[in-house]
Structure formats: structure tokens, C-alpha cells
Amino acid sequence: MDDDARAAATAFTPVTGSRVRVNQYGYEPSARKRATVVCDATAPVAWEVRTSEGAVVASGSTTVLGADATAGLHVHRVDFSTVDGAGIYALEADGERSAFFVVRERLYAPLMTDALAYFYLARSGTEIEASIVGDDYARAAGHVSDATGRDTNKGDLNVACQPAEESAKVYGEPWTAGYRLDVAGGWYDAGDHGKYVVNGGIAVAQLLGVWERALRAGGAAVDALGDGSLPLPEHGDGVPDVLNEARWELDFLMSMMVPEGEPLAGMVHHKVHDFGWTGLPMLPADDPRERYLHRPSTAATLNVAATAAQGARLWAPYDGDYARTLLAASITAWKAALANPDLYAPQEDGANGGGPYDDEDVSDEFYWAAAELFLTTGESEYADFLAASPVHSADSFPVQGFSWDQLDGIAKIQLATVDSALPDRAGLAAQVVAGARAIAAVQAQQAFGQALPEDGYVWASNAQILNNIVVLGAGYDLSGDESLLAAARESMDYLLGRNALDLSYITGYGTRDVQNQHSRWFAHQADESLPHPPVGSVAGGPNADVGTWDEAITALYPDKDCAPQLAYVDDISSWSTNEITINWNSALAAATAFLAFPEARVTL
């Protein structure tokens, strides 16, 4: 077989629906409304928007965009922004009809709620109650002991430090300690049973940020997040549900601190996870593996310093004692990080049972922690640290999006939008707005409307887009620039179906939505007795970094050659394109909170 014949034999063409790609969920009445049509014609074609009863409400001709390298398709664009009446519609062009979609106000409020509801289902160390989530999603507590003291699995109630011989394989020298910690609780990070401080840090910060921004918006935004707004067991305590959910993780983060009297006291263990990978499917309560605390890291310690400080000021109106506990933990972690500024989490070749989350540049984490401590305390030592940091004047808003290991963007958004007496607040606000406009400029060039450049299709590309929406939202809050709101809204169109695969990457939203994300307990594809991921779960998305591919996506493209948007498969085995994680759902929550309530303007 020659090369051409072999390529033809192995060629894979994804199954899609209509060639008319729209936001399958819908559009706000005042939003810019665009669609992408997959069409080989080199001249414009006619289009019509019809109501669900068939009445034509708008018509026109497409704009030919030509070949789009990210999708490997020839495409046209339709702009039907004049359709602003509430209702159900479909777009017809080139002999095809799109999925039906709605137009209505506050479109994204339900999606924000569902994105936040995901976190209760990710809780470790507690029963997930059928009375709250229904029988399909109820499950026994994972990684705890039962009432008789017998371990239902190895558990997190009394976890030892990683043995010296194992740590030596990772760090090049042995590390261990003689104490054990109760680290039950917190959120499972992703599709496995690991719990990682640096991923938990950005996730809990974004949930806290949703509430902090809602306080600025007031009215409907506060009501949408109040006591009773989410499916949680803590109802009736007068505390906003999003804060109670954040507390579940904050308590875990503090439990990961090295105890007083030990070497590295006040530092924070980087992660806790199984020794060896478990298979699919596996409920948390059935995990048989031994679990270990991994060596503390400066990055993890600063994550606790930052999030505990943020939590302290937001919890103060509801529980003063808890707020003081958080602030004390934050200051302890800050001082420990200053004393140990370069204790890095390294790359682990063939990481045994968990991801490495390696990071050898913690200047951004130092900046973030100082920012949150300043916003909570107002003390000059933190302001002075910020001003002296090289991060302070650096570009902190890459158009590829920020992530768990690049947090200066979050810090600057906080410093610009949260009321304080910071001397250079206006300058930081200008940085945020400039960063948002740079992202909007990239978004404007994309045939499918996404706020992501052509080289941005890495692991979790969908989360990168969502975090760019967060930056666009902050820029809008600070400037009132309507083009930033438009860019944010149009980027969500991509995630909800206006893309090369004609897929909504958010479960339960859209006509063709993903259902089989990589998870050991939302694992219906592997075991029909288990549920699909819950409504509001966002998949990682197309990943063109072929060096990170798993067997499922490699089997589709054995020559590892496909357009970036096509590097995705909705298969439970595809952990490199189809995983779900807390920090991707927190990005979804933050992005949709902005889109649902864009009225949280900032006055400097």
C-alpha cells in the first residue's frame, strides 16, 4: 500500500450535524448574533432566520471568509443581530437548517447555576445525598473510614507522607516526614481521585470571585447566589451557597499545611493522591490504593495564602471566627513561602497515580498572594511587595489565556476591581483593559468567533477560552467598552456549538452536547449503572499538542495530523481532550456569571 492509499484508509471524518453552526443554546436579545456556515461556495449565499412556526424574521447574504486553518474547512459568516425578539428560531443557509436556539434575557443565569452545582458532586469525604441530587448522582463518601473505624478504602483521614524512596524518584533526593494528616474533604480534582492544591486554589478563587463580583452587581446577581440557590446540604444558615461551597475546599487547603513544630511548618503539601493509577470506572468509595501526601511546594503554599486571604474578607460578614482562622492561615502560609521561596514541584516522568502540576516560576503566585492579603488587610507591606515585584508592570494577559500556573492575571483583575487604596490601582485597571482589548482583537479574526489564537489549541483549550472571557468581562467592568461584552458573548457561541465539530462542549446545553467526559464515577459509557457527567460540565476540548495525546484520540488520527479544532473526541478514554476538572468548571462559572449579570461596573 502506497502512502496515499494508507492515508485514505486511515482518514477519519468526524460526524457532525448541520453545516450551519450556531450557538445551540441561544443568544441574548441585545447580543451580536453570528453563525458560521461550512460551505465551499466562493460567492455569498442567501440565508433566512425563521421562527419555530416557520415565519421569516430576517434574511440576507453570507460573508465569505474562506479557508479556516483551525477547522480545516471553507466557511462563510452570517450576522443576524437584528433578530432581538424573545423566541425560538433556526437559521437556514445553503440548503441547511441550524439547530433551534432561543433568544431571551438572562440567558446564562441557569448555566452559571449548573456550573456551580458541579462542585457539590465533586466533593470528597462526604456522602453525596440523593435527597439533594437524585438517585443517579448519589454516592457514598469517598476516602473516609466508616463508623466502626474500618477503612472503606485507604482514606484521607490519616495520610502519611510520601516514602523517601518514592520522593527520591521525583525530586532527585529523598524527602519524607514522620507525621500524618487528616486531609479528608475538598474537591476531587478531575476524572481521577487526586486532590491538588494548585488546581484547587484557582478553582476556589474563581468561586469566591463570582460572589465578590455579585456583591458589586447587586440585585439579581446576589439573589441568584444566595442561601438556597444551589443544591447543597448547608441551606438555611443564611450564608450564600457559593461561599459554603468554597468553604468545603478552603478547609481542605488549610488541612494540607505542615504542622507547627515540624520542618517546613506552615508550608503546604502540593497534593494528595493514590499510589498508582486506578482504572475506569471506579467510585471514590471503592478506591483500594494507598494515598500519600507529596512534598510541600512554594506554589501550593502561596495558593493557600491567596485564597485564604480572599475567603477571610468574604466570610467576615457571616462568621467572624472562621474569617480570622482563614486570615491567620493566610499569613502563616505567606511567611512560610517567604522563608522557602524556591521549593518547586517538578515534572514527574510517568507520574505515579496523579498529575505533577509542576511549576518552577512562582513570581506570579507571590504577586497573587500579596494582592489578596493587601485587599483584605490594607497593610503597606503587601502594597510595597506588589510595587517591587517585576510582575507589577509585566504583561499578564496572554491571548492564549491564563491558567493554574499563571495567576498574575487573576491578581491584577482583583486589584483593579476590588475597592482599595492601592496607589497604582488605575494603572493596573489600564493593564486589564488593554489585555481584554488584545484578546478581543484576536477573537474578531476567528471564523468561529472564539477568543483563542490559532496556536491556542492546547490541553484544556476550552478553559483557556473561558478564562479569556473572564478577562473580557473584567475589561468591560472597568471600561464599559461594549466591544468587550460582544467578544465575550460570541466566544461562548463557540463553546455551545458554533465550532468545527458542531458540538456543545457543555453537557445538557445544546442539541449536540458532549456526554462522555473522562471520569471514574460519571462513567456511564463504561458502566451503564453510573451517570453521565452532570448538566453544566465543560469538557477540556480540542488539543492539538500531539505530544500529550491519549490512545483514544491517536486512534482517530494515527498520523497525528488534523486541524486543531478536530483534535477532540467525546470518549471517556480521552483524558487529553475530554476530561472534566474543577478549574475548568470554575472558569465556566466565572464566565457565565459575567455574561448573566454584566452590570457590575467599577468606578475608580
PDB file of all heavy atoms in Angstrom, residues 121-139:
ATOM      1  N   LEU A 121     -21.022  17.812  43.627  1.00  0.00           N
ATOM      2  CA  LEU A 121     -20.836  16.459  43.118  1.00  0.00           C
ATOM      3  C   LEU A 121     -19.365  16.064  43.064  1.00  0.00           C
ATOM      4  O   LEU A 121     -19.051  14.877  42.921  1.00  0.00           O
ATOM      5  CB  LEU A 121     -21.459  16.336  41.733  1.00  0.00           C
ATOM      6  CG  LEU A 121     -22.985  16.461  41.700  1.00  0.00           C
ATOM      7  CD1 LEU A 121     -23.475  16.633  40.275  1.00  0.00           C
ATOM      8  CD2 LEU A 121     -23.635  15.257  42.350  1.00  0.00           C
ATOM      9  N   ALA A 122     -18.465  17.031  43.166  1.00  0.00           N
ATOM     10  CA  ALA A 122     -17.026  16.753  43.191  1.00  0.00           C
ATOM     11  C   ALA A 122     -16.487  16.654  44.610  1.00  0.00           C
ATOM     12  O   ALA A 122     -15.286  16.419  44.795  1.00  0.00           O
ATOM     13  CB  ALA A 122     -16.276  17.851  42.436  1.00  0.00           C
ATOM     14  N   ARG A 123     -17.348  16.782  45.614  1.00  0.00           N
ATOM     15  CA  ARG A 123     -16.862  16.765  46.998  1.00  0.00           C
ATOM     16  C   ARG A 123     -16.304  15.388  47.373  1.00  0.00           C
ATOM     17  O   ARG A 123     -16.868  14.351  47.041  1.00  0.00           O
ATOM     18  CB  ARG A 123     -17.979  17.124  47.976  1.00  0.00           C
ATOM     19  CG  ARG A 123     -18.346  18.594  47.987  1.00  0.00           C
ATOM     20  CD  ARG A 123     -19.310  18.891  49.122  1.00  0.00           C
ATOM     21  NE  ARG A 123     -19.762  20.281  49.107  1.00  0.00           N
ATOM     22  CZ  ARG A 123     -20.520  20.835  50.050  1.00  0.00           C
ATOM     23  NH1 ARG A 123     -20.897  20.095  51.095  1.00  0.00           N
ATOM     24  NH2 ARG A 123     -20.893  22.091  49.963  1.00  0.00           N
ATOM     25  N   SER A 124     -15.212  15.420  48.089  1.00  0.00           N
ATOM     26  CA  SER A 124     -14.603  14.228  48.672  1.00  0.00           C
ATOM     27  C   SER A 124     -14.903  14.196  50.163  1.00  0.00           C
ATOM     28  O   SER A 124     -15.132  15.233  50.792  1.00  0.00           O
ATOM     29  CB  SER A 124     -13.078  14.271  48.448  1.00  0.00           C
ATOM     30  OG  SER A 124     -12.441  13.184  49.078  1.00  0.00           O
ATOM     31  N   GLY A 125     -14.925  12.991  50.728  1.00  0.00           N
ATOM     32  CA  GLY A 125     -15.036  12.865  52.173  1.00  0.00           C
ATOM     33  C   GLY A 125     -16.418  13.039  52.732  1.00  0.00           C
ATOM     34  O   GLY A 125     -16.570  13.187  53.943  1.00  0.00           O
ATOM     35  N   THR A 126     -17.443  13.002  51.892  1.00  0.00           N
ATOM     36  CA  THR A 126     -18.807  13.169  52.375  1.00  0.00           C
ATOM     37  C   THR A 126     -19.761  12.439  51.447  1.00  0.00           C
ATOM     38  O   THR A 126     -19.499  12.294  50.249  1.00  0.00           O
ATOM     39  CB  THR A 126     -19.192  14.657  52.460  1.00  0.00           C
ATOM     40  OG1 THR A 126     -20.459  14.793  53.106  1.00  0.00           O
ATOM     41  CG2 THR A 126     -19.282  15.287  51.076  1.00  0.00           C
ATOM     42  N   GLU A 127     -20.855  11.970  52.010  1.00  0.00           N
ATOM     43  CA  GLU A 127     -21.898  11.370  51.194  1.00  0.00           C
ATOM     44  C   GLU A 127     -22.514  12.422  50.278  1.00  0.00           C
ATOM     45  O   GLU A 127     -22.760  13.555  50.696  1.00  0.00           O
ATOM     46  CB  GLU A 127     -22.983  10.776  52.098  1.00  0.00           C
ATOM     47  CG  GLU A 127     -24.187  10.217  51.357  1.00  0.00           C
ATOM     48  CD  GLU A 127     -25.335   9.845  52.278  1.00  0.00           C
ATOM     49  OE1 GLU A 127     -25.211  10.066  53.504  1.00  0.00           O
ATOM     50  OE2 GLU A 127     -26.364   9.354  51.766  1.00  0.00           O
ATOM     51  N   ILE A 128     -22.748  12.064  49.040  1.00  0.00           N
ATOM     52  CA  ILE A 128     -23.499  12.917  48.126  1.00  0.00           C
ATOM     53  C   ILE A 128     -24.942  12.443  48.199  1.00  0.00           C
ATOM     54  O   ILE A 128     -25.272  11.324  47.796  1.00  0.00           O
ATOM     55  CB  ILE A 128     -22.934  12.838  46.694  1.00  0.00           C
ATOM     56  CG1 ILE A 128     -21.430  13.177  46.692  1.00  0.00           C
ATOM     57  CG2 ILE A 128     -23.696  13.768  45.763  1.00  0.00           C
ATOM     58  CD1 ILE A 128     -21.084  14.542  47.257  1.00  0.00           C
ATOM     59  N   GLU A 129     -25.813  13.285  48.726  1.00  0.00           N
ATOM     60  CA  GLU A 129     -27.128  12.857  49.175  1.00  0.00           C
ATOM     61  C   GLU A 129     -28.145  12.799  48.039  1.00  0.00           C
ATOM     62  O   GLU A 129     -28.302  13.757  47.271  1.00  0.00           O
ATOM     63  CB  GLU A 129     -27.628  13.796  50.266  1.00  0.00           C
ATOM     64  CG  GLU A 129     -26.715  13.844  51.492  1.00  0.00           C
ATOM     65  CD  GLU A 129     -27.180  14.850  52.525  1.00  0.00           C
ATOM     66  OE1 GLU A 129     -28.422  15.045  52.632  1.00  0.00           O
ATOM     67  OE2 GLU A 129     -26.334  15.449  53.210  1.00  0.00           O
ATOM     68  N   ALA A 130     -28.867  11.674  47.974  1.00  0.00           N
ATOM     69  CA  ALA A 130     -29.909  11.504  46.961  1.00  0.00           C
ATOM     70  C   ALA A 130     -31.006  12.549  47.109  1.00  0.00           C
ATOM     71  O   ALA A 130     -31.587  12.997  46.112  1.00  0.00           O
ATOM     72  CB  ALA A 130     -30.492  10.101  47.046  1.00  0.00           C
ATOM     73  N   SER A 131     -31.293  12.959  48.337  1.00  0.00           N
ATOM     74  CA  SER A 131     -32.348  13.957  48.544  1.00  0.00           C
ATOM     75  C   SER A 131     -31.988  15.307  47.948  1.00  0.00           C
ATOM     76  O   SER A 131     -32.865  16.149  47.735  1.00  0.00           O
ATOM     77  CB  SER A 131     -32.615  14.125  50.042  1.00  0.00           C
ATOM     78  OG  SER A 131     -31.434  14.585  50.718  1.00  0.00           O
ATOM     79  N   ILE A 132     -30.712  15.508  47.666  1.00  0.00           N
ATOM     80  CA  ILE A 132     -30.248  16.773  47.093  1.00  0.00           C
ATOM     81  C   ILE A 132     -30.051  16.661  45.592  1.00  0.00           C
ATOM     82  O   ILE A 132     -30.439  17.551  44.832  1.00  0.00           O
ATOM     83  CB  ILE A 132     -28.942  17.222  47.771  1.00  0.00           C
ATOM     84  CG1 ILE A 132     -29.185  17.494  49.263  1.00  0.00           C
ATOM     85  CG2 ILE A 132     -28.357  18.458  47.086  1.00  0.00           C
ATOM     86  CD1 ILE A 132     -27.940  17.792  50.045  1.00  0.00           C
ATOM     87  N   VAL A 133     -29.457  15.554  45.135  1.00  0.00           N
ATOM     88  CA  VAL A 133     -29.061  15.448  43.723  1.00  0.00           C
ATOM     89  C   VAL A 133     -29.785  14.348  42.964  1.00  0.00           C
ATOM     90  O   VAL A 133     -29.589  14.209  41.752  1.00  0.00           O
ATOM     91  CB  VAL A 133     -27.543  15.230  43.596  1.00  0.00           C
ATOM     92  CG1 VAL A 133     -26.776  16.396  44.194  1.00  0.00           C
ATOM     93  CG2 VAL A 133     -27.106  13.914  44.243  1.00  0.00           C
ATOM     94  N   GLY A 134     -30.624  13.566  43.644  1.00  0.00           N
ATOM     95  CA  GLY A 134     -31.312  12.465  42.987  1.00  0.00           C
ATOM     96  C   GLY A 134     -30.515  11.178  43.057  1.00  0.00           C
ATOM     97  O   GLY A 134     -29.307  11.164  43.331  1.00  0.00           O
ATOM     98  N   ASP A 135     -31.193  10.069  42.781  1.00  0.00           N
ATOM     99  CA  ASP A 135     -30.574   8.758  42.931  1.00  0.00           C
ATOM    100  C   ASP A 135     -29.401   8.544  41.981  1.00  0.00           C
ATOM    101  O   ASP A 135     -28.424   7.867  42.329  1.00  0.00           O
ATOM    102  CB  ASP A 135     -31.618   7.659  42.703  1.00  0.00           C
ATOM    103  CG  ASP A 135     -32.660   7.602  43.817  1.00  0.00           C
ATOM    104  OD1 ASP A 135     -32.361   8.083  44.930  1.00  0.00           O
ATOM    105  OD2 ASP A 135     -33.761   7.092  43.560  1.00  0.00           O
ATOM    106  N   ASP A 136     -29.477   9.084  40.769  1.00  0.00           N
ATOM    107  CA  ASP A 136     -28.427   8.815  39.784  1.00  0.00           C
ATOM    108  C   ASP A 136     -27.071   9.338  40.241  1.00  0.00           C
ATOM    109  O   ASP A 136     -26.038   8.713  39.961  1.00  0.00           O
ATOM    110  CB  ASP A 136     -28.787   9.446  38.435  1.00  0.00           C
ATOM    111  CG  ASP A 136     -29.887   8.690  37.713  1.00  0.00           C
ATOM    112  OD1 ASP A 136     -30.213   7.574  38.143  1.00  0.00           O
ATOM    113  OD2 ASP A 136     -30.425   9.233  36.736  1.00  0.00           O
ATOM    114  N   TYR A 137     -27.063  10.475  40.918  1.00  0.00           N
ATOM    115  CA  TYR A 137     -25.792  11.108  41.281  1.00  0.00           C
ATOM    116  C   TYR A 137     -25.413  10.908  42.744  1.00  0.00           C
ATOM    117  O   TYR A 137     -24.327  11.310  43.154  1.00  0.00           O
ATOM    118  CB  TYR A 137     -25.835  12.595  40.933  1.00  0.00           C
ATOM    119  CG  TYR A 137     -25.797  12.812  39.439  1.00  0.00           C
ATOM    120  CD1 TYR A 137     -26.966  13.015  38.714  1.00  0.00           C
ATOM    121  CD2 TYR A 137     -24.599  12.756  38.743  1.00  0.00           C
ATOM    122  CE1 TYR A 137     -26.946  13.173  37.336  1.00  0.00           C
ATOM    123  CE2 TYR A 137     -24.552  12.912  37.371  1.00  0.00           C
ATOM    124  CZ  TYR A 137     -25.735  13.120  36.666  1.00  0.00           C
ATOM    125  OH  TYR A 137     -25.696  13.261  35.301  1.00  0.00           O
ATOM    126  N   ALA A 138     -26.281  10.279  43.529  1.00  0.00           N
ATOM    127  CA  ALA A 138     -25.941   9.997  44.926  1.00  0.00           C
ATOM    128  C   ALA A 138     -24.824   8.957  44.983  1.00  0.00           C
ATOM    129  O   ALA A 138     -24.733   8.065  44.139  1.00  0.00           O
ATOM    130  CB  ALA A 138     -27.166   9.491  45.664  1.00  0.00           C
ATOM    131  N   ARG A 139     -23.948   9.099  45.973  1.00  0.00           N
ATOM    132  CA  ARG A 139     -22.889   8.115  46.167  1.00  0.00           C
ATOM    133  C   ARG A 139     -22.389   8.178  47.607  1.00  0.00           C
ATOM    134  O   ARG A 139     -22.570   9.180  48.310  1.00  0.00           O
ATOM    135  CB  ARG A 139     -21.732   8.314  45.188  1.00  0.00           C
ATOM    136  CG  ARG A 139     -21.071   9.665  45.228  1.00  0.00           C
ATOM    137  CD  ARG A 139     -19.881   9.732  44.267  1.00  0.00           C
ATOM    138  NE  ARG A 139     -19.396  11.086  44.098  1.00  0.00           N
ATOM    139  CZ  ARG A 139     -18.572  11.713  44.927  1.00  0.00           C
ATOM    140  NH1 ARG A 139     -18.151  11.091  46.024  1.00  0.00           N
ATOM    141  NH2 ARG A 139     -18.175  12.951  44.690  1.00  0.00           N
TER     142      ARG A 139
END
